[in-house]
Amino acid sequence: MLTRRHFLGALGLASLTGCGRGSTRTTVRFWNGFTGPDGRTMLRLVRRFNEENPDITVLMQRMDWGTYYNKLFVGGLGGRAPEVFVLHTRALLRFARAGFAEPLDPLLGDFPAATNDLDPNVWEAAKVQGNHYGLPLDVHAMGMYYNKKLFSEAGLDPTKPPTNRAEFIEAMRRIKKPGKNGEPDQWGYVFTNFETCTYTFLKQFGGSPFTPDYSRCTLASPENIAALTFCRSLIKDGLVPSPENIDSWIGFRQGRIGMVFEGIYMLADLQKQKDLDFAGAPVPQVTDHKAVWADSHNLCLKAGLPADKQRAAWKFMRFLSDNSVDWADGGQIPTRPSLRATARFKAMSVQSAFAEQVPYVQYQPRLPFIFEYQTEYNLAVEKILRGKASPEEALTAAEKRVNEIIKREATP
């Protein structure tokens, strides 16, 4: 049955392509998970590309990230994958090993930005076995959003957010405030996304979930235990609420939380909220190891495309990279230093603040079993933060299970 929604969607695609029978346009299908405000930003870029390139039609399809990767993998298995698709850096290995993505290195001759205008650490992370399988469009680093009003009320300078452990903890203490029943109804800091927040601290403590060659999981290392002990201590000391006692992100949006660590991709929703006086800053560094969680959206090319399709797809990918300041409008950070140096990007105050961290961003491990690893890691972290297990107990159990997965993966 053709619903009104499907009809309008098809009508929109038809008007976007502007072509009918006998068209000589090359069609490029483009899949991504940009279903939020970033999707509207990307749609504007796609329309602009189509207008400027009358010989190419890009058809964009958006779907929820929760189902996106399964659909994309199934499409690859059936030979129905799109010509261009988006992969997070953590997912590159899986799709490269499956043979679904084309190495981009042979195409870089007409794209000098690859050698002189991409952040080296971000570009290196797009490599699999010596070849680049993705063109990074952005680096969506975690940063600190903070409530300027609560800072002022606590006697803190809202133009000088905390940068180190002492300042961070002092800000927590001063912003925390009891409610009418004596229990705190205002907090200085809360854990939002457990995985990304704790991974940031883990890397700041010099920890790593794996050996450099990924042959063994090391979640129970002293550095990792110290990092999660620090996270748990914030709750035990009464500086941070236990996870089950607060809806952390909603609390920040309601003006009851002073500081949260979240991705730049949350910015668009905050900007719609006119009653919240907030700003952005780099995440405080609680040790001498500068680190912050990040990921990137990579533009990937379907393997084995005919020459005309490949040329058209690669032209579109270069266009998105060259115009990624437009993409930044939707709440992202370009991976091109030259674009971040423009007056237009510098005027984006939160994006610019988060971009200061690009030299020391830390990506999650790239594993063929990334989703299984994330399940084990997140389960351990939740037990620790909720006080159901000690950091040593939870991380040791998770390490054992992940090493069993590694052993299984290595078995022919």
Side-chain angles (χ1 to χ4, degrees):
M1 178 179 179
L2 183 63
T3 65
R4 180 176 183 272
R5 180 181 176 187
H6 290 141
F7 173 76
L8 291 175
L11 184 62
L13 284 179
S15 64
L16 185 62
T17 63
C19 59
R21 291 181 181 177
S23 171
T24 58
R25 286 189 171 207
T26 299
T27 299
V28 173
R29 293 170 301 144
F30 175 39
W31 285 13
N32 59 64
F34 304 140
T35 56
D38 52 2
R40 292 189 289 275
T41 303
M42 182 57 72
L43 184 58
R44 288 194 293 270
L45 281 164
V46 169
R47 284 174 170 158
R48 185 173 139 206
F49 177 85
N50 284 340
E51 290 169 0
E52 295 178 6
N53 295 273
D55 58 331
I56 302 172
T57 296
V58 174
L59 300 178
M60 185 172 88
Q61 182 172 349
R62 298 175 284 175
M63 55 195 81
D64 291 332
W65 287 117
T67 59
Y68 174 77
Y69 280 112
N70 281 342
K71 290 181 178 179
L72 183 60
F73 203 84
V74 170
L77 289 172
R80 300 184 303 275
E83 286 75 27
V84 178
F85 51 94
V86 171
L87 292 179
H88 289 91
T89 296
R90 65 179 184 270
L92 282 171
L93 177 64
R94 181 186 179 205
F95 283 82
R97 283 182 49 169
F100 298 155
E102 183 80 22
L104 302 181
D105 301 79
L107 305 174
L108 298 179
D110 63 351
F111 188 58
T115 56
N116 60 28
D117 194 27
L118 284 175
D119 294 296
N121 55 335
V122 178
W123 186 222
E124 182 67 22
K127 266 186 180 181
V128 176
Q129 296 180 337
N131 292 307
H132 294 93
Y133 281 87
L135 176 61
L137 178 62
D138 56 52
V139 51
H140 41 271
M142 171 180 281
M144 183 172 73
Y145 296 101
Y146 66 98
N147 186 311
K148 295 166 68 176
K149 179 183 176 184
L150 296 188
F151 265 61
S152 295
E153 291 176 350
L156 298 165
D157 187 343
T159 68
K160 296 180 179 178
T163 61
N164 55 45
R165 186 191 298 213
E167 294 172 353
F168 183 43
I169 291 177
E170 178 64 13
M172 288 188 222
R173 293 187 190 280
R174 293 175 67 168
I175 295 172
K176 180 183 171 183
K177 188 176 178 181
K180 293 179 180 179
N181 63 357
E183 293 295 321
D185 69 351
Q186 180 174 295
W187 294 90
Y189 172 77
V190 294
F191 290 104
T192 47
N193 184 304
F194 296 170
E195 181 178 13
T196 55
C197 288
T198 58
Y199 190 75
T200 290
F201 287 124
L202 184 147
K203 299 304 289 187
Q204 288 188 12
F205 273 78
S208 182
F210 294 89
T211 55
D213 62 357
Y214 297 108
S215 64
R216 185 168 57 87
C217 179
T218 58
L219 275 174
S221 72
E223 295 84 359
N224 295 339
I225 290 173
L228 271 298
T229 299
F230 169 74
C231 294
R232 176 58 190 164
S233 74
L234 297 178
I235 298 173
K236 288 178 66 177
D237 295 345
L239 292 172
V240 173
S242 185
E244 66 268 19
N245 293 335
I246 191 166
D247 189 332
S248 53
W249 182 246
I250 294 299
F252 180 74
R253 296 191 64 173
Q254 291 174 339
R256 297 185 295 113
I257 308 296
M259 301 172 286
V260 291
F261 298 171
E262 261 299 351
I264 190 65
Y265 40 78
M266 304 298 277
L267 176 60
D269 282 338
L270 288 181
Q271 289 173 328
K272 297 177 190 174
Q273 191 170 334
K274 303 306 180 184
D275 61 343
L276 184 66
D277 188 14
F278 75 95
V283 165
Q285 301 298 311
V286 301
T287 72
D288 294 333
H289 295 273
K290 279 193 169 185
V292 65
W293 174 92
D295 209 333
S296 289
H297 294 119
N298 294 270
L299 301 168
C300 300
L301 192 64
K302 180 182 178 181
L305 287 176
D308 60 333
K309 288 273 190 181
Q310 187 180 88
R311 281 193 300 270
W314 179 236
K315 186 174 185 179
F316 173 60
M317 292 164 65
R318 297 197 321 268
F319 170 87
L320 291 182
S321 179
D322 289 341
N323 292 277
S324 50
V325 171
D326 292 323
W327 178 234
D329 275 335
Q332 297 290 348
I333 300 169
T335 59
R336 304 272 292 270
S338 67
L339 299 180
R340 295 201 302 271
T342 62
R344 181 181 170 195
F345 181 78
K346 288 181 178 180
M348 302 177 192
S349 60
V350 176
Q351 290 96 320
S352 294
F354 282 28
E356 295 175 24
Q357 306 171 114
V358 170
Y360 52 85
V361 295
Q362 295 290 325
Y363 290 93
Q364 288 180 306
R366 295 184 309 163
L367 307 162
F369 50 89
I370 181 63
F371 301 117
E372 291 171 283
Y373 157 73
Q374 287 178 299
T375 297
E376 296 298 340
Y377 178 81
N378 290 334
L379 177 62
V381 166
E382 185 163 348
K383 287 180 178 179
I384 293 166
L385 296 184
R386 293 182 185 274
K388 303 298 183 183
S390 71
E392 185 171 8
E393 291 169 342
L395 292 176
T396 297
E399 179 183 283
K400 180 180 178 181
R401 286 192 288 270
V402 174
N403 277 322
E404 289 171 353
I405 295 171
I406 292 174
K407 185 177 179 180
R408 182 201 70 200
E409 288 286 316
T411 302

